[in-house]
Amino acid sequence: MKPRHLVGIWVLLLVLLGVSLLLANLGNVLLATTLIFGVAALKATLVALFYMRLKWEPGYIFAIIFTGLAVVLILFFTLVPDIIYVYGN
Amino acid sequence: MAIIGGYLAYLFRYQLAFPNEPVPGYGLVGPDQYNSFVTMHGTIMVFWVAMPILLSGFGNFLLPLMIGAGDMAFPRLNMTSYWVFFLSTVVLLLSFFVPGGSFSGGWTIYPPLSASPGYTGVIWGGHLWILAVALEFTSMLMGGINFLTTTVAMRAKGMGLFRLPIFVWMINIASILFMFSVGPLIAGAFMLLADRLFDVGFYLPASGGDPLLFQHLFWFFGHPEVYVLLLPALGIIAEIFPVFSRKPLFGYRTIIYSTLVAGLLSFIVWAHHQFISGIDPRLAAPFSVTTILISVPFAITLFAFIATLWRGSIRLTTSMLFALGMLAEFLVGGVTGIFNGSTAADIYIHDTLFVVAHFHYTLFPVTFIATFAGIYYWYPKMFGRFMNETWGKVHFWITIIGFNAVFLPMFAFGLAGHQRRIFDPTLFDYLQPYQYLHVIATVGLIVMLAGQIPFIINFFASLSRGKVVDRNPWLANTLEWLAPSPPGHGNFDQEPVVQRGPYEYSHPLLKERDWISQGEL
Ligand code: HEM
Ligand SMILES: [Cu+2]
């Protein structure tokens, strides 16, 4: 990866930052939140792939990442019924 | 640390049997001290004795030897991890000497008790507890990464994944479990620290927080952690059984698969620790089911061990005795776990001495009995000499008898309604008729602690007086027995090339002897 490309990614990240700032002005709050989180996920992916060089790592790195994510999701979604139980509807 | 943990147990055990009498060798134990000793006993035994001995100690010594590697993949990371661990120990021990004393809200540091120093009067002790545990986990993570990398990258030629000794598998699965469970706890502990220092209110109901959240974060880690301790112990006895029954390990692959399944399941059972904490009752049923389900893969493993012993020509060396002892005692722990796992029964026995008895019947065999088995077995590899077998057997019988004397009465006591974490049981009339059980348990403990003296003497005396042995005194297959005893720098004289699986005993084609080394042509 040439430095030029890395700068390019950086510019892209800045543009995406601008996009999410603009999205904040959207009338529909739910839509805005969803889109902002989507853009943030995109940015995180770009950073991980290019700056953390995961794009050039062997496949099992992704297996590790996804296992971690799966475990977090288990924790998160099992807590939901409990939170609903404690705090009502 | 094991001695400190045991000493603390002695202090509060004595107080339970003879309330408000000065403990010989210490003095009077007050209620605050009692709480703090119980807390630190649990903390030390789980995080500063079991984990470092089983994972780091045995893992660092055996894992490279067993896969035919010269060293760990990252020797410097290993040193760092050791020093971070050392630092964590210093921080933990310091907490005994700060004003207010060491933390005293139980080793699970549940809020709200732990979230505000105001509740227990412990200020610095609590902060230091959190810091020490965070450091300790960091160190263990470094170690775990090292184990995984070493196993992936440094196996000797021919050492396929299904030729790895079970111990190596167990260490790796344990490291993975630790890696994926520790994050929420460290985060949760720092949130707790923020509550203590700045009253942020993650967990304090008064500040809008929810103490239950901490329980979820703690046990999401805490339950897999139990397996982090258990798996290396099972690995140790899995190495010992085939050698001293001269039979191949029964169901090698089945053990690996069922351990993986148990590992996965361990992430969805944690709320069985919260059946009576006021969680959603609809959550209790699935957690009850998964908890009881998890006993299936472990039952498979234990049956595989028993099948290994079946009709073997068993040699009752000291290490074999300890390995059998581990299996037997752990079985008691496992079976009583089913009671705790079913919601209905747990509502009655929760937080009684029944639970204390249950988890000691699992943790003590794991932490100490398996460790002793491993020490007697690998001592010749570590030092090139045998330990004395007669004294070893004396040590075994005192330990086993003492251990059962301490904890067997607690099942009965718990069913009689004795709550745990009680300072003075004589204050409750309905417990009076059973007070003698506390006396039995305490006498049992003193006998058991005294029984460790022959072991310590034996261990050090054998360094210079033990019978000198060659490389493979037990006639075992795995690679570590190909290396010189003690292994020098780089472990092996020449790089081993692996030809076959680790447990080839009693092979029909073998004529003169009943074993063939993994590295032999
Ligand atoms: C040396 C033999 C041991 C004895 C006599 C002993 C005794 C006890 C007793 C009587 C309690 C309950 C105190 C109370 O609730 O008031 C206790 C708690 C506990 N023990 Fe042990 N124990 C021993 C070894 C171990 C080992 C090897 C481990 C773990 C690896 C362990 C972990 C714990 C834990 C986690 C608690 C709960 C602490 C708490 O409630 O905060 N113990 N022990
Ligand atoms: Cu559990």
Side-chain angles (χ1 to χ4, degrees):
Chain A
M1 188 93 184
K2 295 204 190 82
R4 207 152 41 87
H5 294 135
L6 287 177
V7 174
I9 304 274
W10 179 64
V11 174
L12 188 57
L13 285 172
L14 283 183
V15 172
L16 286 174
L17 174 66
V19 170
S20 45
L21 287 179
L22 287 178
L23 282 174
N25 295 322
L26 224 63
N28 186 333
V29 176
L30 187 68
L31 186 67
T33 321
T34 321
L35 286 177
I36 290 174
F37 269 103
V39 173
L42 186 63
K43 286 199 289 189
T45 315
L46 282 175
V47 171
L49 282 181
F50 294 100
Y51 291 145
M52 298 170 132
R53 308 189 62 86
L54 289 188
K55 198 167 182 296
W56 296 276
E57 292 296 335
Y60 60 77
I61 294 282
F62 290 94
I64 295 175
I65 294 174
F66 286 118
T67 319
L69 278 178
V71 170
V72 171
L73 289 181
I74 292 177
L75 175 64
F76 187 76
F77 283 106
T78 329
L79 282 179
V80 171
D82 199 45
I83 292 167
I84 296 173
Y85 175 71
V86 174
Y87 294 102
N89 320 307
Chain B
M1 290 306 271
I3 295 174
I4 300 178
Y7 181 63
L8 291 172
Y10 160 73
L11 294 181
F12 60 73
R13 200 49 279 164
Y14 196 90
Q15 155 68 24
L16 284 171
F18 310 106
N20 301 315
E21 281 176 37
V23 183
Y26 180 79
L28 213 55
V29 173
D32 286 348
Q33 281 178 317
Y34 181 87
N35 285 339
S36 136
F37 289 167
V38 171
T39 305
M40 296 309 273
H41 159 77
T43 308
I44 289 178
M45 285 297 191
V46 174
F47 298 133
W48 272 269
V49 180
M51 261 219 284
I53 293 182
L54 290 163
L55 262 184
S56 322
F58 281 108
N60 275 317
F61 177 71
L62 291 174
L63 189 127
L65 279 169
M66 282 185 161
I67 64 172
D71 197 352
M72 296 290 283
F74 306 117
R76 292 227 178 97
L77 187 68
N78 226 11
M79 276 320 277
T80 321
S81 131
Y82 174 77
W83 286 109
V84 172
F85 177 75
F86 183 78
L87 189 66
S88 76
T89 315
V90 173
V91 173
L92 188 79
L93 291 181
L94 263 181
S95 79
F96 278 108
F97 302 105
V98 292
S102 54
F103 188 58
S104 62
W107 80 286
T108 51
I109 57 166
Y110 276 3
L113 209 52
S114 60
S116 163
Y119 294 135
T120 48
V122 177
I123 305 168
W124 278 99
H127 304 339
L128 290 179
W129 192 102
I130 295 174
L131 183 62
V133 168
L135 284 172
E136 209 263 349
F137 287 178
T138 313
S139 145
M140 286 291 153
L141 264 183
M142 292 193 238
I145 290 168
N146 220 342
F147 290 138
L148 289 169
T149 319
T150 308
T151 314
V152 169
M154 315 234 331
R155 276 170 289 145
K157 219 157 128 215
M159 180 62 99
L161 281 185
F162 285 108
R163 283 181 179 176
L164 289 175
I166 290 286
F167 179 78
V168 176
W169 269 104
M170 293 292 184
I171 290 277
N172 280 288
I173 300 176
S175 303
I176 294 173
L177 289 185
F178 187 72
M179 225 160 97
F180 285 127
S181 65
V182 77
L185 183 73
I186 296 194
F190 274 102
M191 282 150 74
L192 185 65
L193 193 63
D195 265 11
R196 295 177 63 88
L197 290 172
F198 313 115
D199 196 10
V200 180
F202 287 115
Y203 306 122
L204 277 174
S207 324
D210 182 358
L212 273 190
L213 173 62
F214 184 83
Q215 297 193 7
H216 282 297
L217 295 176
F218 183 89
W219 287 112
F220 187 73
F221 159 80
H223 195 88
E225 163 71 6
V226 181
Y227 298 129
V228 172
L229 308 182
L230 167 63
L231 297 187
L234 287 182
I236 289 173
I237 66 169
E239 298 304 321
I240 292 175
F241 283 147
V243 175
F244 295 114
S245 57
R246 313 311 294 168
K247 276 184 63 197
L249 187 67
F250 185 89
Y252 168 83
R253 278 186 193 229
T254 318
I255 295 179
I256 295 169
Y257 290 133
S258 50
T259 310
L260 285 168
V261 170
L264 280 179
L265 281 176
S266 75
F267 284 105
I268 42 174
V269 299
W270 79 89
H272 61 208
H273 297 271
Q274 297 173 259
F275 284 154
I276 66 157
S277 325
I279 57 164
D280 187 343
R282 279 161 303 175
L283 263 185
F287 275 103
S288 200
V289 171
T290 49
T291 300
I292 293 173
L293 210 62
I294 210 170
S295 56
V296 174
F298 282 121
I300 292 175
T301 305
L302 296 192
F303 278 123
F305 287 167
I306 294 171
T308 306
L309 300 172
W310 181 254
R311 296 199 168 175
S313 47
I314 292 176
R315 255 194 299 161
L316 287 179
T317 57
T318 308
S319 49
M320 184 64 167
L321 278 177
F322 272 107
L324 290 169
M326 146 83 197
L327 195 64
E329 307 292 359
F330 182 76
L331 219 60
V332 178
V335 169
T336 52
I338 309 269
F339 294 73
N340 302 334
S342 77
T343 324
D346 188 60
I347 288 173
Y348 178 66
I349 53 183
H350 183 83
D351 259 339
T352 66
L353 286 189
F354 185 93
V355 171
V356 175
H358 150 71
F359 69 71
H360 282 89
Y361 263 96
T362 57
L363 288 175
F364 189 87
V366 161
T367 312
F368 288 114
I369 306 187
T371 296
F372 290 140
I375 290 178
Y376 283 100
Y377 179 59
W378 280 294
Y379 191 93
K381 183 50 53 187
M382 291 182 203
F383 303 108
R385 286 167 190 275
F386 274 131
M387 277 175 86
N388 183 303
E389 284 282 311
T390 316
W391 282 111
K393 282 171 189 160
V394 171
H395 173 215
F396 170 77
W397 286 111
I398 300 182
T399 306
I400 289 289
I401 294 171
F403 164 70
N404 284 292
V406 179
F407 292 107
L408 207 54
M410 282 195 208
F411 283 119
F413 223 164
L415 291 176
H418 191 315
Q419 298 283 304
R420 68 196 271 212
R421 296 177 184 164
I422 282 180
F423 169 64
D424 182 354
T426 54
L427 293 178
F428 300 86
D429 285 339
Y430 70 100
L431 292 177
Q432 289 302 326
Y434 304 103
Q435 182 63 22
Y436 72 96
L437 291 175
H438 272 318
V439 179
I440 296 179
T442 301
V443 173
L445 175 64
I446 293 172
V447 169
M448 185 170 86
L449 290 180
Q452 306 313 309
I453 296 170
F455 167 71
I456 296 171
I457 296 178
N458 191 355
F459 187 94
F460 287 105
S462 300
L463 286 176
S464 56
R465 296 228 206 104
K467 199 169 136 239
V468 179
V469 294
D470 63 355
R471 290 176 183 219
N472 193 356
W474 308 120
L475 310 178
N477 286 357
T478 37
L479 286 185
E480 77 268 28
W481 301 105
L482 280 180
S485 314
H489 189 74
N491 285 347
F492 296 92
D493 323 319
Q494 67 195 65
E495 239 177 74
V497 179
V498 178
Q499 311 292 342
R500 61 185 62 75
Y503 305 109
E504 311 238 331
Y505 298 96
S506 304
H507 197 288
L509 294 180
L510 297 173
K511 292 270 152 36
E512 286 91 53
R513 45 180 195 165
D514 67 347
W515 62 283
I516 178 158
S517 168
Q518 264 197 294
E520 227 172 305
L521 273 176

